[in-house]
Amino acid sequence: MVSVLSAVARGVLIPSLAAVSVSSLVALAAVPAAASPAVPPPVRPEDRAADHLTVVVRNAGAGLDGTYDVSCHPAAGHHPDVAGACRVLDDDTRWGRDTFAPVAPGSTCTMLYGGPATAHVTGIWAGRPVDASYDRSNGCEIGRWDRMVPYLPRIGSPV
């Protein structure tokens, strides 16, 4: 038999399990730990069939502002580069990660202003609803925007 003791906050030892057999401890160790938080399942082909996004671009400049619709799988829509838009969206889609996630709170970003351009994306992507906003207010937001080019328009470098 093994005697198991545990420490309490003030350093006093008290018996927590008296005379526990080794076989009982082995059986307890075999019990699986609590399940980890739910992670979304991988994207299935049937989820892809409904991929459709609308982006409204404002203050990006002449010929770039407007509303663009993109459907992927198969590629279709009113966008200057539907195939390129679908390619960048597919390339950035990873299991367990939000393709359209905002910049993480507390991120350290350069104070580089990329201009007044904004974009608002809505629709369904990989079977999940999308409602994401983009701007170019600092280095992190510029990088987030640029990762979505050509889905979002390429904006010239800030002066």
Side-chain angles (χ1 to χ4, degrees):
M1 297 283 188
V2 175
S3 178
V4 179
L5 300 176
S6 64
V8 293
R10 293 201 158 91
V12 178
L13 295 177
I14 58 171
S16 60
L17 296 173
V20 175
S21 70
V22 173
S23 61
S24 296
L25 289 175
V26 171
L28 183 60
V31 174
S36 62
V39 175
V43 178
R44 302 170 304 174
E46 56 268 26
D47 293 332
R48 293 289 193 180
D51 289 344
H52 176 85
L53 297 171
T54 300
V55 62
V56 177
V57 179
R58 294 195 172 110
N59 303 313
L64 301 177
D65 289 353
T67 300
Y68 304 98
D69 291 311
V70 173
S71 294
C72 299
H73 317 109
H78 296 85
H79 188 280
D81 184 359
V82 173
C86 289
R87 185 176 54 254
V88 76
L89 291 165
D90 282 337
D91 288 350
D92 201 36
T93 301
R94 299 284 181 269
W95 178 62
R97 188 172 62 92
D98 181 1
T99 304
F100 303 92
V103 172
S107 295
T108 303
C109 304
T110 61
M111 295 308 297
L112 180 66
Y113 180 65
T118 62
H120 187 220
V121 179
T122 56
I124 300 291
W125 183 254
R128 296 173 186 87
V130 175
D131 186 356
S133 295
Y134 290 79
D135 64 43
R136 298 177 61 81
S137 60
N138 61 49
C140 294
E141 295 293 350
I142 293 168
R144 181 172 172 250
W145 180 296
D146 288 351
R147 280 188 295 281
M148 296 300 278
V149 171
Y151 177 65
L152 298 179
R154 182 174 307 283
I155 307 291
S157 298
V159 179

